């Protein structure tokens, strides 16, 4: 990965290159960035530039033995750590390294949901456990195999929890020529003991012009479409790619079908849906409910006359518009959001999914079909 391959972020690129030229590379750095801004490719390009055998003025050469190994993510002194789903066969991040490399090689712009889809997540929660922390300590205790600097890139240290305290001494006093790069999205969720030991590099979201330029070049959209999608994505390249793909997600189809069952009072279908949803596993159930909340919030924007602010792919937007025009009212949408948020809360606390989804399904019938709103959601309009 070279800096020239990364979309935008010219100021950050120049800043990183300058630290190498001036020999003031901080041994522990925290790349703080919103999703879809390119922090992961920036970290890899930075590490590649540091270890390049024939550095250019503003980028690595891309041709030396070190760069060629970095391009394939197989350099022996480049290590990765990231959230994963522990199981009997997966105890540390290295056990799913091939899946990680495959995803990075396919597209270095991704989020936790895309990563989750590459793994057998089932009903497990992602984290960076104590076994992974011990494995990091072990790997970095060895001498560098061939590069001048060993590099560990940790994606989403927010998933460390208290296990991260095992890394404190290593981060504060690492072996010689060792570089930690932590890539985070939420500073507040990182252990303060780790935060205090790192130098923060703030990476801004991409500008609308940068996202528009990428879409025009990569997706073959018209200029008008590219500008619209860029506005909706709000600097998130992952979101922009999803909009450009113009695909309706599985969650969207399943969720709108669930609402239609409620509107049609199709209790046998709702029971069948409940049986199916109960088999998804807790994390998938939580993601589905979270999607439903976000979807209905977009419907609320449509109902409020703010369609230009809706961030949905075109096909999904058309469905949401029909739903908002013919079925939902604002109080109904808000009442359903309340039910979904309560369900999400209870799923996190191991509620019985079959009972829970059946209860929410019956609440949908009450709200959508019979327009019976829970207390606190009635409105008096002028």
């Amino acid at each position: 990965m070279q800096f020239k391959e990364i979309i935008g972020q010219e100021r950050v690129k120049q800043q990183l290159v300058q630290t190498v030229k001036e020999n003031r590379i901080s041994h522990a750095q925290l790349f703080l960035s919103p999703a879809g801004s390119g922090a992961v490719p920036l970290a890899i390009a930075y590490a590649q530039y540091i270890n390049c055998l024939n550095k250019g003025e503003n980028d690595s050469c891309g041709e030396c033995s070190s760069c060629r190994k970095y391009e394939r993510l197989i350099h022996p002194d480049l290590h990765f750590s990231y959230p994963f789903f522990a199981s009997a066969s997966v105890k540390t991040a290295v056990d799913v390294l091939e899946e990680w490399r495959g995803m990075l090689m396919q597209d270095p712009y991704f989020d936790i949901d895309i990563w989750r889809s590459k793994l057998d997540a089932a009903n497990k929660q992602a984290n960076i456990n104590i076994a992974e922390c011990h494995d990091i300590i072990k790997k970095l205790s060895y001498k560098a195999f061939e590069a001048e600097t060993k590099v560990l890139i940790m994606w989403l240290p927010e998933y460390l929890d208290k296990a991260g305290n095992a890394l404190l001494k290593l981060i504060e006093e690492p072996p010689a020529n060792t570089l930690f790069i932590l890539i985070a999205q939420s500073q507040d969720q990182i252990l303060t003991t780790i935060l205090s030991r790192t130098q923060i590099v703030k990476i801004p979201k991409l500008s609308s012009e940068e996202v528009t330029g990428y879409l025009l070049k990569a997706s073959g959209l018209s200029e008008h479409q590219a500008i619209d999608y860029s506005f909706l994505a709000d600097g998130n390249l992952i979101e922009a790619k999803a909009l450009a793909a113009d695909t309706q997600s599985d969650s969207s189809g399943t969720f709108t079908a669930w609402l239609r069952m409620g509107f049609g009072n199709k209790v046998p279908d709702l029971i069948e849906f409940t049986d199916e949803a109960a088999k998804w596993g807790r994390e998938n159930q939580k993601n589905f409910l979270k999607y439903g909340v976000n979807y209905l919030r977009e419907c609320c924007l449509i109902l409020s006359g703010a369609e230009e602010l809706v961030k949905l792919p075109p096909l999904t937007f058309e469905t949401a518009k029909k739903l908002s025009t013919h079925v939902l009212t604002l109080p109904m949408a808000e009442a359903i959001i309340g039910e979904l948020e309560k369900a999400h809360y209870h799923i996190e606390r191991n509620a019985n999914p079959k009972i829970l989804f059946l209860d929410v399904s019956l609440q949908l019938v009450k709200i959508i079909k019979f327009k019976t709103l829970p207390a606190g959601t009635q409105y008096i309009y002028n």
Side-chain angles (χ1 to χ4, degrees):
M1 180 71 65
Q2 292 179 280
F3 286 124
K4 66 182 181 182
E5 299 171 38
I6 299 168
I7 299 153
Q9 306 297 1
E10 298 305 322
R11 182 191 61 78
V12 180
K13 291 176 189 176
Q14 191 56 44
Q15 178 185 336
L16 295 175
V17 167
Q18 205 62 30
T19 62
V20 180
K21 289 180 178 178
E22 296 174 3
N23 195 26
R24 52 179 180 85
I25 302 168
S26 177
H27 68 270
Q29 301 182 39
L30 173 66
F31 284 19
L32 194 59
S33 70
S37 59
V40 173
L42 272 171
I44 297 171
Y46 183 40
Q48 180 170 322
Y49 184 69
I50 289 170
N51 284 314
C52 177
L53 303 178
N54 187 27
K55 295 179 183 63
E57 183 65 23
N58 295 305
D59 212 340
S60 53
C61 70
E63 297 175 355
C64 67
S65 59
S66 175
C67 285
R68 289 199 300 271
K69 289 172 184 172
Y70 261 90
E71 291 290 342
R72 292 180 289 159
L73 306 175
I74 59 170
H75 197 289
D77 296 313
L78 172 65
H79 307 285
F80 290 102
S81 183
Y82 34 80
F84 60 93
F85 305 92
S87 65
S89 58
V90 179
K91 294 182 171 56
T92 61
V94 75
D95 294 326
V96 287
L97 182 59
E98 286 308 309
E99 291 86 345
W100 173 260
R101 282 176 177 157
M103 179 183 67
L104 269 176
M105 297 291 285
Q106 183 179 359
D107 189 347
Y109 292 82
F110 57 90
D111 57 20
I112 191 67
D113 290 330
I114 294 173
W115 173 227
R116 181 183 178 82
S117 70
K118 305 292 181 184
L119 302 174
D120 180 19
N123 197 26
K124 298 182 283 290
Q125 292 188 357
N127 71 341
I128 301 174
N129 59 20
I130 190 66
E132 171 65 8
C133 293
H134 289 159
D135 190 54
I136 290 170
I137 295 169
K138 179 182 174 183
K139 284 188 291 195
L140 296 185
S141 66
Y142 299 143
K143 284 185 66 176
F145 187 75
E146 61 181 57
E148 184 179 332
T149 303
K150 288 176 292 183
V151 180
L152 174 84
I153 297 174
M154 177 180 284
W155 181 57
L156 298 185
E158 297 96 316
Y159 285 80
L160 268 171
D161 288 331
K162 293 180 181 177
N165 287 319
L167 297 173
L168 295 182
K169 182 171 175 55
L170 185 66
I171 293 174
E172 190 166 12
E173 299 176 10
N177 300 321
T178 300
L179 171 62
F180 281 90
I181 302 178
L182 284 68
I183 301 169
Q185 293 174 7
S186 175
Q187 183 175 340
D188 295 337
Q189 294 178 24
I190 303 171
L191 291 170
T192 54
T193 47
I194 288 180
L195 200 59
S196 63
R197 288 164 169 79
T198 60
Q199 180 185 73
I200 297 178
V201 178
K202 291 190 176 179
I203 300 169
K205 66 182 181 182
L206 295 169
S207 69
S208 294
E209 292 75 17
E210 288 166 342
V211 176
T212 300
Y214 170 81
L215 292 175
L216 286 171
K217 183 177 178 182
S219 303
L221 298 173
S222 69
E223 186 173 356
H224 179 71
Q225 283 178 312
I227 291 171
D228 282 351
Y229 291 172
S230 173
F231 169 74
L232 293 173
D234 191 28
N236 185 336
L237 198 67
I238 301 166
E239 189 92 12
K241 288 180 179 181
L243 288 166
D246 193 12
T247 55
Q248 190 165 5
S249 70
D250 291 340
S251 293
S252 172
T254 307
F255 183 73
T256 51
W258 191 28
L259 294 181
R260 289 192 188 101
M261 292 175 209
F263 179 68
N265 195 16
K266 298 177 180 176
V267 176
D269 290 344
L270 288 170
I271 293 173
E272 188 178 331
F273 169 82
T274 296
D275 291 337
E276 188 63 33
K279 301 173 187 175
W280 290 346
R282 188 168 61 249
E283 288 303 309
N284 290 328
Q285 290 160 356
K286 284 164 58 181
N287 286 341
F288 175 74
L289 292 168
K290 200 187 316 179
Y291 177 85
V293 170
N294 292 333
Y295 183 91
L296 286 170
R297 283 175 179 161
E298 300 299 310
C299 289
C300 288
L301 289 174
I302 297 172
L303 289 162
S304 302
E307 291 185 13
E308 69 278 3
L309 300 178
V310 175
K311 296 181 179 180
L312 288 173
L315 290 177
T316 310
F317 173 73
E318 288 304 316
T319 306
K321 194 172 179 180
K322 290 175 185 174
L323 195 66
S324 303
T325 304
H326 302 294
V327 178
L328 293 175
T329 64
L330 196 57
M332 288 164 63
E334 292 181 357
I336 298 170
I337 287 172
E339 294 298 327
L340 297 181
E341 287 178 336
K342 280 195 294 183
H344 187 277
Y345 173 87
H346 292 302
I347 284 287
E348 278 190 321
R349 284 148 185 81
N350 296 319
N352 184 304
K354 187 175 284 191
I355 295 173
L356 185 139
F357 273 97
L358 181 57
D359 178 65
V360 178
S361 296
L362 296 176
Q363 292 299 329
L364 290 182
V365 175
K366 284 175 63 178
I367 294 168
I368 303 177
K369 176 66 176 176
F370 298 107
K371 298 179 174 53
T372 305
L373 301 179
T377 54
Q378 283 78 25
Y379 294 82
I380 300 174
Y381 293 102
N382 294 325

